[in-house]
Amino acid sequence: MTEEPSEPSLLRPYLMTSGRAQPVDQSLEIEAQVMTSRLGAASHPKLTFERQEIVSLCRSTVSVAEVAAMLGLHIGVARVLVADLAEQGYVVVRRPANHNSHDLGMIERVIRGLEAIH
């Protein structure tokens, strides 16, 4: 008898975000660049598992979309977690400026990150 693949659990994302579907900063763009702050690096051992992963990953600057793709998280979950970490000072978020909307390299990185989620 072959087992059918189970559907992904909705419980884990719900627990990671404390049941929230919207980030504290609802304007957080998926292309926003995230980098670990000094506080985040110093607080790493005290953070929950998922937050530790994000803080570790963001030691070099990555976009919110890349965080989601690299950690296998739904983009909405990544936005909630990154926004929480930014509000607490564990990461620094650099928002895209209007002139970046024509940066093909950034657009390609975001697209690759989104494709990797699937």
Side-chain angles (χ1 to χ4, degrees):
M1 174 187 246
T2 59
E3 290 185 34
E4 293 194 27
S6 61
E7 292 193 25
S9 169
L10 297 177
L11 183 59
R12 185 171 182 258
Y14 180 85
L15 293 174
M16 283 190 286
T17 63
S18 300
R20 293 175 296 129
Q22 295 295 319
V24 290
D25 177 0
Q26 293 187 22
S27 67
L28 180 63
E29 305 91 344
I30 63 172
E31 67 271 17
Q33 301 295 298
V34 185
M35 183 162 211
T36 300
S37 68
R38 287 187 181 141
L39 175 63
S43 302
H44 183 269
K46 301 174 194 169
L47 299 173
T48 61
F49 178 74
E50 292 81 12
R51 287 166 176 79
Q52 283 181 347
E53 285 185 313
I54 293 171
V55 167
S56 292
L57 179 63
C58 294
R59 287 193 171 120
S60 60
T61 306
V62 294
S63 71
V64 175
E66 290 170 314
V67 168
M70 292 176 179
L71 298 180
L73 299 172
H74 182 277
I75 191 69
V77 172
R79 286 182 67 226
V80 169
L81 295 175
V82 168
D84 287 352
L85 289 167
E87 183 179 62
Q88 297 162 348
Y90 297 131
V91 296
V92 175
V93 176
R94 292 204 172 86
R95 309 303 281 264
N98 289 337
H99 68 278
N100 284 345
S101 63
H102 300 291
D103 180 354
L104 292 179
M106 181 193 64
I107 293 169
E108 288 173 358
R109 285 192 308 275
V110 170
I111 290 170
R112 280 194 306 271
L114 292 173
E115 287 173 341
I117 293 171
H118 296 285

